[in-house]
Amino acid sequence: MTQTVGKVYAEALFALSREEQCEKTVYDELNAAAQLFAAHPDFTALLSVPTVGAPEKIEILRKVIGSGTGVTENFLCLLVEKHRFNRLAEICSAFNALYYDAFSIAEVFVTSAQPLSEEQRSALKAKLSGKLGKGIQLVETVDASLLGGMVVQYGDTRMDNSLRTRMKEMSENLRKK
């Protein structure tokens, strides 16, 4: 069975974080780095330029990410040295899957017409946690075209309680009559 580059690196990082007992810290730092570099793709491109040497790239990287655990910082530097920094998002996604599996966390995608309030977020997490028997990691997006309500997806399950969908269903039912 072949594995993707991202999965191989993620498994190695996860094993090291388990050994060092810093899984949560590495999870937080790796996701923060992935978000930072996704928001600034030019920076990722800079770290991939072949005319800039690895020591200079690593110096730049360390200035940008600041100090964190040695594990995450050293891992990001390794990615630069091995010319794999452009795979950070893929590695982060594979690491997250390992982390969620190890700590019995379900990743739930929620799309709503407006940002969820803290009260809505807490209620949704509590309900889903009870239903799934796992901790919940919400990934939230806002889509004004839903008009109201929300769409919740985890695994192969999708619950669409959006106003847009209910109106569409109502319209289809009226056409049938």
Side-chain angles (χ1 to χ4, degrees):
M1 173 190 285
T2 60
Q3 293 188 24
T4 64
V5 169
K7 187 164 180 160
V8 171
Y9 276 86
E11 287 174 350
L13 178 60
F14 190 73
L16 179 61
S17 70
R18 295 285 287 208
E19 185 178 305
E20 297 290 324
Q21 298 179 344
C22 60
E23 301 96 320
K24 175 71 170 132
T25 303
V26 171
Y27 169 83
D28 290 340
E29 291 174 352
L30 186 64
N31 279 281
Q35 288 175 356
L36 173 69
F37 296 118
H40 302 284
D42 291 342
F43 187 74
T44 301
L46 172 66
L47 294 177
S48 302
V49 173
T51 56
V52 178
E56 293 84 8
K57 291 177 186 177
I58 289 171
E59 183 179 331
I60 294 167
L61 175 67
R62 285 195 164 127
K63 286 180 182 176
V64 170
I65 63 172
S67 62
T69 63
V71 173
T72 309
E73 182 180 341
N74 289 339
F75 179 76
L76 294 174
C77 292
L78 175 73
L79 293 180
V80 170
E81 290 173 359
K82 298 294 183 181
H83 309 287
R84 299 290 192 197
F85 201 83
N86 61 336
R87 298 294 191 94
L88 181 60
E90 177 187 347
I91 294 165
C92 185
S93 179
F95 182 91
N96 288 350
L98 293 168
Y99 181 84
Y100 297 153
D101 187 50
F103 292 100
S104 193
I105 297 171
E107 186 174 37
V108 178
F109 298 88
V110 179
T111 306
S112 56
Q114 298 176 349
L116 297 176
S117 68
E118 194 55 47
E119 184 179 304
Q120 290 171 318
R121 191 175 292 113
S122 295
L124 183 59
K125 280 183 166 184
K127 187 169 187 164
L128 289 168
S129 181
K131 181 176 182 156
L132 300 175
K134 294 182 173 188
I136 303 298
Q137 175 65 40
L138 290 181
V139 179
E140 301 176 42
T141 55
V142 174
D143 180 356
S145 72
L146 293 179
L147 304 175
M150 66 179 71
V151 178
V152 177
Q153 184 168 341
Y154 54 90
D156 293 338
T157 302
R158 180 180 170 95
M159 297 180 293
D160 189 340
N161 194 25
S162 67
L163 186 56
R164 176 182 64 191
T165 299
R166 286 188 274 166
M167 290 175 65
K168 182 179 175 185
E169 289 170 353
M170 194 182 315
S171 174
E172 289 172 3
N173 286 336
L174 288 172
R175 280 191 212 131
K176 291 179 184 176
K177 293 183 179 188

